[in-house]
Amino acid sequence: MKKDEPPLDFPDTLEGFEYAFNEKGQLRHIKTGEPFVFNYREDLHRWNQKRYEALGEIITKYVYELLEKDCNLKKISIPVDATESEPKSFIFMSEDALTNPQKLMVLIHGSGVVRAGQWARRLIINEDLDSGTQIPFIKRAMDEGYGVIVLNPNENYIEVEKPKIHVQSSSDSSDEPAEKRERKDKVSKETKKRRDFYEKYRNPQREKEMMQLYIRENGSPEEHAIYVWDHFIAQSAAENVFFVAHSYGGLAFVELMIQREADVKSKVTAVALTDSVHNVWHQEAGKTIREWMRENCCNWVSSSEPLDTSVESMLPDCPRVSAVHV
């Protein structure tokens, strides 16, 4: 950690970063045309990482805008009965998501920093929007007559600054002699001064201490999937519901099945998993669920084999086939 680390003060727009997405959906520097550079400042990994995270937050908002403006999805606040003051999250839905009588597509991303509409932030930044976002899936689904619901399973809490706790000085309430109190206070001040000096050296930019306020009934990806099922998907008119779930999204779907087995079986026609990290043993999925998954799910996994080539699995659940990419 460097003592002379530059301020962690970054732009809050793509233009401020001097980047923009070109006509191919690639992130490029507006002056040089070069791709994003992570090591903007040599030997300052922490600063570079914070800069990358700040850009990632801007891209998250940019993708939200694309979902609304480019894909014509509606942003729906949850919990549906939230009070004005409580923490809230949101999902995105097409106009006909609940009324389409034939088919509904539900998209669930994986864990980490990604939010609704994204598969992988790294791919958005280093490759292009088509590689890293769900937008091509959404547009094709809508072109083929599907209603669409986009889940937001990582938006589980809001962060607020921790209130400062004022510690009362021991001299205020002590019955000790004045000379002894003064000596203790002096030692305490010297200790605090040394601690602050070393803390400043270790972490030159003391960041605000934050606390997390969890969103009711949406405090985890699994809770979120069940909540959206109960309040939206289960209420939809679609005769056939289809899921595409990536990585941890597959685990969230399996948990949904465990909690709502009969309902899921009655509405869901097929599930496409991509590199799903679900585990039917650890999640204690019953025999009837495993049998249903064998018939109705397929997991496309990282492999150099030709597309759809069967890939051996240790678990007795859904078929695993090659996604070609490694």
Side-chain angles (χ1 to χ4, degrees):
M1 208 71 70
K2 296 228 170 190
K3 190 176 179 181
D4 57 350
E5 184 181 61
L8 299 176
D9 185 19
F10 303 106
D12 56 6
T13 64
L14 279 177
E15 293 76 16
F17 269 95
E18 297 189 324
Y19 280 96
F21 286 99
N22 63 20
E23 67 282 353
K24 296 179 181 177
Q26 301 164 323
L27 188 68
R28 292 291 183 265
H29 196 278
I30 57 178
K31 292 179 180 176
T32 67
E34 292 295 310
F36 177 74
V37 175
F38 179 85
N39 287 317
Y40 189 75
R41 291 178 182 262
E42 292 294 328
D43 302 324
L44 287 174
H45 180 81
R46 177 177 178 270
W47 188 90
N48 288 328
Q49 180 64 32
K50 293 290 183 183
R51 173 176 173 265
Y52 177 81
E53 290 168 9
L55 176 65
E57 290 303 308
I58 295 168
I59 285 173
T60 290
K61 292 173 185 173
Y62 182 80
V63 172
Y64 287 158
E65 289 177 12
L66 291 178
L67 294 182
E68 292 189 276
K69 295 176 182 175
D70 207 29
C71 300
N72 297 314
L73 300 185
K74 295 185 299 180
K75 186 178 180 181
I76 307 296
S77 182
I78 55 175
V80 293
D81 60 347
T83 63
E84 190 72 25
S85 59
E86 75 172 295
K88 303 173 192 66
S89 180
F90 49 87
I91 59 173
F92 291 88
M93 299 196 312
S94 62
E95 288 283 351
D96 67 340
L98 302 183
T99 58
N100 187 314
Q102 295 177 316
K103 47 192 182 180
L104 173 67
M105 178 75 74
V106 181
L107 303 178
I108 317 179
H109 60 62
S111 60
V113 295
V114 291
R115 294 295 186 269
Q118 301 180 47
W119 293 127
R121 178 186 284 180
R122 180 180 59 82
L123 289 178
I124 296 172
I125 292 175
N126 298 321
E127 298 293 332
D128 54 43
L129 288 166
D130 278 358
S131 299
T133 74
Q134 298 173 345
I135 290 171
F137 287 73
I138 295 166
K139 287 186 173 179
R140 180 169 173 182
M142 294 176 78
D143 286 345
E144 296 188 12
Y146 291 80
V148 175
I149 296 181
V150 178
L151 271 62
N152 203 7
N154 292 336
E155 192 77 11
N156 307 128
Y157 55 82
I158 62 169
E159 283 194 327
V160 296
E161 192 174 352
K162 267 187 180 178
K164 289 183 172 62
I165 300 172
H166 298 284
V167 181
Q168 190 179 26
S169 171
S170 59
S171 59
D172 293 343
S173 57
S174 174
D175 292 330
E176 294 174 328
E179 187 180 340
K180 190 174 182 181
R181 282 205 309 272
E182 287 174 13
R183 193 163 56 247
K184 283 180 70 175
D185 286 348
K186 185 178 179 182
V187 170
S188 177
K189 285 175 184 174
E190 287 296 321
T191 302
K192 183 178 184 302
K193 190 176 177 182
R194 282 198 303 272
R195 187 174 63 240
D196 287 349
F197 173 80
Y198 288 118
E199 175 61 20
K200 188 176 179 182
Y201 183 82
R202 187 186 67 81
N203 182 12
Q205 301 183 63
R206 185 180 295 171
E207 297 174 63
K208 294 175 182 176
E209 280 196 81
M210 308 297 284
M211 60 187 289
Q212 298 169 348
L213 301 177
Y214 280 84
I215 296 161
R216 175 165 54 88
E217 297 182 81
N218 287 270
S220 70
E222 297 91 326
E223 272 192 10
H224 177 75
I226 293 168
Y227 185 88
V228 176
W229 176 273
D230 288 345
H231 291 83
F232 298 95
I233 304 169
Q235 312 299 326
S236 69
E239 188 178 340
N240 300 291
V241 177
F242 301 85
F243 276 78
V244 179
H246 176 61
S247 187
Y248 201 89
L251 185 148
F253 173 80
V254 172
E255 185 61 29
L256 169 64
M257 264 218 88
I258 292 169
Q259 300 298 329
R260 301 288 187 270
E261 181 177 354
D263 293 341
V264 169
K265 285 180 176 178
S266 70
K267 280 191 80 76
V268 177
T269 301
V271 181
L273 304 170
T274 58
D275 266 332
S276 175
V277 298
H278 73 274
N279 186 303
V280 291
W281 292 138
H282 292 165
Q283 293 181 258
E284 299 181 354
K287 182 182 177 184
T288 54
I289 290 176
R290 298 197 303 272
E291 289 172 347
W292 186 90
M293 289 181 66
R294 274 196 290 272
E295 294 297 321
N296 298 277
C297 301
C298 185
N299 190 11
W300 277 267
V301 299
S302 300
S303 171
S304 58
E305 295 295 319
L307 182 66
D308 293 336
T309 302
S310 181
V311 176
E312 190 176 348
S313 173
M314 300 290 289
L315 296 172
D317 54 8
C318 61
R320 285 160 46 97
V321 297
S322 171
V324 181
H325 299 284
V326 294

